[in-house]
Amino acid sequence: MHENEESKITRFVSGLRREIQDMVNLYEYSSLEKLVHLAIKVESQILKKTSFKSTHNDGFHHSSWKDKYKTSKTFPSNFVKDTTYNPIVSPPSTSTPKSPTKT
């Protein structure tokens, strides 16, 4: 069975991961051999980018602290819940109320 070059290229591209397909389709290639090299380059760039993201710590935490506790049904281990209710009540005033004065 002999396939022409164009059919081989089409079959090769369809077997690539979608992310690599999208990048490879941005370039021109004249042969299957050049396409294979291009796909390898694209894949290595993607791997470098993803490994950089996973290992690079820029010192910033990019998710909200609120999100952490929204998803958790329990309180953090260092959180002590006070179960007593002690409202702050001011003592009753012992002075007599002043009557409004007319002017």
Side-chain angles (χ1 to χ4, degrees), residues 10-50:
T10 303
R11 199 159 49 92
F12 178 76
V13 171
S14 69
L16 296 173
R17 288 193 337 240
R18 186 72 180 159
E19 185 178 19
I20 297 172
Q21 283 181 20
D22 293 342
M23 293 295 290
V24 164
N25 286 329
L26 296 175
Y27 297 95
E28 290 186 24
Y29 38 86
S30 57
S31 69
L32 180 60
E33 183 180 352
K34 289 183 180 185
L35 174 61
V36 169
H37 290 292
L38 177 62
I40 291 169
K41 256 199 239 185
V42 168
E43 184 180 33
S44 68
Q45 288 175 347
I46 291 170
L47 290 174
K48 281 180 189 176
K49 190 187 333 178
T50 56

Side-chain angles (χ1 to χ4, degrees), residues 66-76:
K66 295 176 189 174
D67 296 338
K68 182 178 175 183
Y69 296 108
K70 280 182 187 176
T71 58
S72 173
K73 298 287 183 194
T74 60
F75 289 100

Side-chain angles (χ1 to χ4, degrees), residues 83-101:
T83 57
T84 60
Y85 176 69
N86 295 320
I88 299 174
V89 179
S90 47
S93 175
T94 56
S95 65
T96 57
K98 294 182 180 177
S99 60
T101 56

